[in-house]
Amino acid sequence: MTTSLAPVPATGLQKLWSTRLWIGETDIGIRPSAVDELARPAEVAVTEYGPDLILTDPTDAASTLAAAMQAASGAPAGRVRLRVQLCRAGYSVGLAYPTGAWAAWCVLATAGGSVDADSGMLSLHDPRAGCAAVGVPGLPWGRPITARPAPGLTVVHPGWLAYSITPVDAGHTILLLSADIAVGLPETDRR
């Protein structure tokens, strides 16, 4: 299901944090069996699935994320590599970098709740020299951009931005779609 996309408005965050991002909601369909996976107990913090097992239309999901990348960057999107993870208690990612020119994150579904509002929160970090030293009260410079996991939340950012995910609390489960997006490759090379 393709969704109408618009970048973060220039009057808001984009004006203060000049790196081009796309933060919004998408409606990427998941199979009914994926919802069953959210409730299934597991002994590991993360389980990875092939996109075909979870998404109703992986090609459409790739096109939706490519369109968000194009809306943010103005550049043509190329190959989109999708990855689906079911994240449970204890899952976290320390400071890391995506492997694509652009990266996308989409929360497909969540289950349970958390006492900590930051459970499974995505943070984007500017790695440029001096950024961490520019802590102006009330402005985003020197601080990460954060997004709490909610179904449909989609964040698209350049691959040179670092990211982290805070630990997922007990009883909280997140079905997460991530993508690495190349720039300028032929459109037929998607997925």
Side-chain angles (χ1 to χ4, degrees):
M1 178 176 301
T2 303
T3 305
S4 174
L5 302 171
V8 175
T11 57
L13 177 65
Q14 200 68 51
K15 210 175 203 181
L16 301 174
W17 215 63
S18 61
T19 302
R20 299 204 34 97
L21 306 169
W22 190 91
I23 301 172
E25 288 188 16
T26 55
D27 184 20
I28 294 176
I30 60 173
R31 297 181 186 281
S33 59
V35 177
D36 297 338
E37 288 297 314
L38 289 168
R40 186 172 296 161
E43 296 179 14
V44 294
V46 65
T47 306
E48 203 158 314
Y49 297 94
D52 294 330
L53 294 175
I54 300 295
L55 304 174
T56 55
D57 188 347
T59 302
D60 187 57
S63 295
T64 297
L65 297 177
M69 175 262 171
Q70 286 177 258
S73 70
R79 171 172 273 185
V80 178
R81 292 187 186 266
L82 301 175
R83 186 173 157 195
V84 179
Q85 294 177 308
L86 184 58
C87 311
R88 297 181 180 92
Y91 175 76
S92 67
V93 176
L95 202 60
Y97 290 89
T99 59
W102 282 76
W105 306 89
C106 178
V107 178
L108 298 171
T110 61
S114 171
V115 176
D116 184 0
D118 294 341
S119 174
M121 183 172 62
L122 172 69
S123 297
L124 301 180
H125 308 270
D126 191 333
R128 293 177 286 191
C131 283
V134 187
V136 179
L139 296 177
W141 302 311
R143 292 189 302 225
I145 300 297
T146 59
R148 288 187 173 84
L153 171 73
T154 303
V155 176
V156 180
H157 64 90
W160 59 265
L161 284 177
Y163 70 92
S164 63
I165 298 176
T166 60
V168 175
D169 288 345
H172 192 200
T173 306
I174 303 165
L175 186 59
L176 182 66
L177 171 65
S178 62
D180 290 316
I181 307 171
V183 176
L185 293 176
E187 190 171 323
T188 56
D189 202 20
R190 290 225 172 105
R191 259 187 80 214

